[in-house]
Amino acid sequence: MPTASRSGEASPGPAAAAAPARPRAARARCPAAWLLGAAAVAYNAWVLEFLLPTGLDARHSYVSELYAADQPFHVLFGAVEILTAVLVAAGAAPLRREPGGNRRFTAGRWVLVAFAAFSVADVVVPMRCAPSVNRACEAVNPWHTATSALVHAALFVSMALMVKGAAGGDRWPLIRRWGPWLLAAALVAAVSTIGPLIGRPGWHGVPQRAHLLLVGAWLALLAVSLRRARRSDLVDCA
């Protein structure tokens, strides 16, 4: 029974009084957003190369050379890569089924989980050496090149699915607005890094690092979008 207020009117019961706080509390409990936000930062941990004596020139080397088997900091950069993959997988996986949810967007999140898995494989089979500083080192390591190709394929398929899914409604306005630009820019940057694979090395490190910054921006965009999801979309935060 409602209790009487001083003005003689019935005051709301405990359940009604707590109702306004629910949306705020629910928004605060959005682990996927926090995990993807952390992944966006960790994905660009390559900036540590400017603080450590790696011996590599960022302009002319692949970031994956940082965790090549013969490099002094391969354990550090490999561990960061695996941690980032775990954060992406944990944040991207739609653990709860959303009634009437967007299938393309959900599929994109699962493909992003595959992207994380392939990223781990990229570390498990690293480059044997750094070709940018070792002329005897092969520029194309078959296994590492294959895993890197899978990483990029999963990334772009995931981005395309989520951008396409966001375009079909009003639930993800930030992705609908910025997603196509990030997808196009990241794709151009990725294609610009293939110089060493076709026998034309040099300056490929610049577009690759730009690509990594763009992917980090994409992960941050996903994180912010999840945080701003409407109350009816809070299931996506699980």
Side-chain angles (χ1 to χ4, degrees):
M1 295 293 292
T3 58
S5 65
R6 293 184 182 180
S7 61
E9 299 179 353
S11 61
R22 287 178 184 172
R24 180 180 299 177
R27 283 194 296 269
R29 296 192 302 268
C30 189
W34 292 109
L35 290 167
L36 289 174
V41 176
Y43 198 77
N44 284 284
W46 57 267
V47 297
L48 293 174
E49 69 180 332
F50 297 117
L51 303 176
L52 299 172
T54 64
L56 300 177
D57 189 332
R59 299 169 299 175
H60 309 300
S61 64
Y62 284 125
V63 170
S64 55
E65 292 183 47
L66 292 169
Y67 53 88
D70 68 340
Q71 293 305 295
F73 300 102
H74 71 277
V75 174
L76 170 62
F77 286 103
V80 171
E81 188 80 1
I82 292 175
L83 172 61
T84 304
V86 171
L87 291 171
V88 170
L95 300 181
R96 298 179 187 176
R97 184 176 180 181
E98 179 187 359
N102 189 309
R103 292 185 178 181
R104 284 196 181 94
F105 198 88
T106 301
R109 290 179 67 171
W110 280 119
V111 178
L112 193 58
V113 174
F115 158 79
F118 293 139
S119 296
V120 172
D122 215 32
V123 178
V124 173
V125 286
M127 304 177 77
R128 299 187 183 94
C129 46
S132 65
V133 294
N134 184 356
R135 293 184 178 180
C137 183
E138 57 184 356
V140 180
N141 179 303
W143 287 105
H144 184 77
T145 301
T147 56
S148 295
L150 290 172
V151 166
H152 284 86
L155 171 67
F156 291 123
V157 169
S158 172
M159 292 179 74
L161 284 170
M162 284 190 271
V163 167
K164 184 66 175 178
D170 60 351
R171 306 179 69 181
W172 308 105
L174 292 178
I175 296 175
R176 186 172 65 253
R177 179 178 181 181
W178 299 107
W181 295 101
L182 285 174
L183 172 57
L187 183 58
V188 170
V191 172
S192 301
T193 67
I194 66 172
L197 305 181
I198 58 176
R200 294 183 177 276
W203 293 100
H204 51 279
V206 175
Q208 192 197 26
R209 284 158 179 77
H211 168 75
L212 297 179
L213 289 172
L214 290 166
V215 175
W218 168 252
L219 294 174
L221 183 66
L222 293 180
V224 173
S225 295
L226 286 174
R227 285 285 293 169
R228 294 187 177 184
R230 296 177 305 176
R231 183 178 181 181
S232 60
D233 294 331
L234 287 176
V235 67
D236 287 320
C237 287

